[in-house]
């Protein structure tokens, strides 16, 4: 397993967090995640490296920017 920390730009409220959680709940290969609205961070635990690219695309499709 691999832990990754991503910074999310554009996350402003609990609604934003919930939209991201909904998308993440549908990703296969994602073991766990934690989102901090205050810090604008997402911490992921994934089995495969390629899952990270899929997660980034899904979050960006919601209109957020990811900074590694």
């Amino acid at each position: 397993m691999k832990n990754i920390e991503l910074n999310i730009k554009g996350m402003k409220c609990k609604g934003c967090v919930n939209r991201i959680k909904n998308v993440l709940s549908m990703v296969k290969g994602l073991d766990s995640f934690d989102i901090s609205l205050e810090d604008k961070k997402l911490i992921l635990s994934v089995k495969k490296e390629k899952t990270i690219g899929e997660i980034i695309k899904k979050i960006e499709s919601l209109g957020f920017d990811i900074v590694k």
Side-chain angles (χ1 to χ4, degrees):
M1 260 185 274
K2 185 169 184 155
N3 290 327
I4 304 292
E5 185 176 298
L6 301 172
N7 294 307
I8 304 175
K9 287 189 176 181
M11 201 168 53
K12 295 177 172 69
C13 64
K14 291 216 185 255
C16 295
V17 171
N18 288 334
R19 287 174 56 211
I20 294 170
K21 282 183 179 180
N22 287 340
V23 163
L24 293 178
S25 69
M26 293 185 273
V27 175
K28 290 181 183 172
L30 176 60
D31 286 332
S32 65
F33 62 89
D34 186 42
I35 302 175
S36 171
L37 177 59
E38 231 174 65
D39 298 329
K40 309 241 184 296
K41 289 188 192 258
L42 171 62
I43 299 169
L44 305 166
S45 179
V46 296
K47 291 178 185 169
K48 296 180 182 174
E49 186 88 26
K50 70 178 185 176
T51 307
I52 299 162
E54 179 187 344
I55 289 167
I56 290 172
K57 283 181 188 172
K58 287 182 181 284
I59 293 172
E60 287 178 336
S61 75
L62 295 173
F64 301 104
D65 291 320
I66 301 291
V67 182
K68 291 183 189 177

